[in-house]
Amino acid sequence: MFVAMTACPDPSRPDHPTAKALLDAGGELFGAHGFAGASTRALAEKAGVNIAAIAYHFGSKEGLREACGRETARIMAQDIVGARADALDAALAAGVTPAQARGMILDLFDAIAPAMLARADFEPVVRFLLREQDERSPAFERIHDGFIAPMHERLCRLWGAATGAAPDAPATRLSTLSVVAQIVYFRVARNVALKRMGWTRIGEEEAAQIAAVVRANLRAMLDAAAREARP
Amino acid sequence: MFVAMTACPDPSRPDHPTAKALLDAGGELFGAHGFAGASTRALAEKAGVNIAAIAYHFGSKEGLREACGRETARIMAQDIVGARADALDAALAAGVTPAQARGMILDLFDAIAPAMLARADFEPVVRFLLREQDERSPAFERIHDGFIAPMHERLCRLWGAATGAAPDAPATRLSTLSVVAQIVYFRVARNVALKRMGWTRIGEEEAAQIAAVVRANLRAMLDAAAREARP
DNA sequence: GTCTATAAACAGATAGAC
DNA sequence: GTCTATCTGTTTATAGAC
């Protein structure tokens, strides 16, 4: 009772059941049909709440979008890397051998690939992220600064430790992105991949096949980079 | 004067100036904002024509979308592969040595990468294609059957010829897709790449750096695949 | 073929009862 | 906090003059 209960009491509160339901619906519908393609009526119906709840809890449809961005950043940071981030930082600070660094990179992608590709609850998260980065929205800035940039930096440092290449060299920064690319592609161009592979979906089995190919590519790339840096 | 001039005289006629302007506007705005996000008013204004021209020339907004799909398929087949497709088919029919096949794959991506990444007029084309495949629209089916599938098949056959791997093996089909992935990523996640690389745009210079990394990855992958198939 | 005017549906946002 | 009802503007599509 310290502040008046005006509209939009707290934009970032996934604890409230109505707000939570709207955040889930937003992640799904914004991702599936884009911001313009998801009407407030469809969002409210999907969430099982009243249309006016959007304005009440998030101020506006745009407010809901931004709150979804915060949710996405939180989920990705928590579920994709989780405790791994601290372990990586500790290892990098303590120093790692090339073989250790190589193993850590391979392990990292072995963990990322199945989550990114097969986890059904990640579909809306990734789709939402891609839409936001496409529109250069403030929500994307948050996700970039909080999750993407730190992970890319760690990856470049590991890459340098594993191959002897300079972590800040453009080629290193591009190489690491090109590994991420191979996983992201099967999300983004999923319908192309499904048709080309004759699959009906990307489940655990299919994700494992993709992960195996990415792992093989990664090994080949690391070997080549190491030969390049330490002939 | 043989047929009555009802609405939508011919859905596929990029020759008419008004229809052409609408196709260009459609490719750009559908790609940028999605189908729902591009209003007929915005489309007409961008094209510099009257709103009613959409219904007249394409029957409806949906009709314009499908016509844009046909245009996209035509442009990609023409500008990305062009005469190269026939040359590849002839070479594959005549038979190629592993070294020749390897060179053809490298050449192919050397041609595709700069076009996909740096050509400004390709931005709307690629964006449109990705939106359509995401929505599994009939327009995408056309593009897949007419351009994507034939190119992927050729690539798999070349890959097999270069490495000794089976062209129809899932690993081969996934490997070739994972090379395409590395190029597509820098289009799709362009804003991520720009921020991570400290670039402001992907012009010829930046595209060349990406192409060099992809080329290096491709060599490493081909070497590894060849060792795997012919130890 | 191109235009204006408008119909009919739908959008997001809000006022106010409960 | 949640609801109904409604306001205001915009959407696509169309009818009809030129």
Side-chain angles (χ1 to χ4, degrees), chain A residues 131 133 153 188 191 196, chain B residues 131 133 153 188 191 196:
Chain A
R131 296 269 188 187
Q133 75 93 30
E153 294 301 334
V188 178
N191 289 329
R196 296 318 308 144
Chain B
R131 292 274 187 182
Q133 75 94 29
E153 294 301 333
V188 178
N191 290 329
R196 297 318 309 143

Side-chain angles (χ1 to χ4, degrees), chain A residues 37-116:
Chain A
S39 71
T40 52
R41 280 167 177 81
L43 288 161
E45 189 178 5
K46 182 109 198 166
V49 305
N50 192 272
I51 319 165
I54 295 172
Y56 180 77
H57 286 277
F58 302 99
S60 66
K61 184 187 177 186
E62 183 64 43
L64 174 57
R65 190 240 286 261
E66 292 197 24
C68 287
R70 274 185 289 272
E71 255 310 86
T72 299
R74 198 185 58 74
I75 292 174
M76 296 206 72
Q78 201 171 76
D79 287 21
I80 293 247
V81 285
R84 206 176 292 262
D86 292 335
L88 289 178
D89 288 337
L92 281 167
V96 289
T97 66
Q100 285 174 329
R102 184 190 172 97
M104 291 172 82
I105 294 175
L106 288 166
D107 285 353
L108 186 60
F109 281 104
D110 269 356
I112 291 176
M116 284 278 288

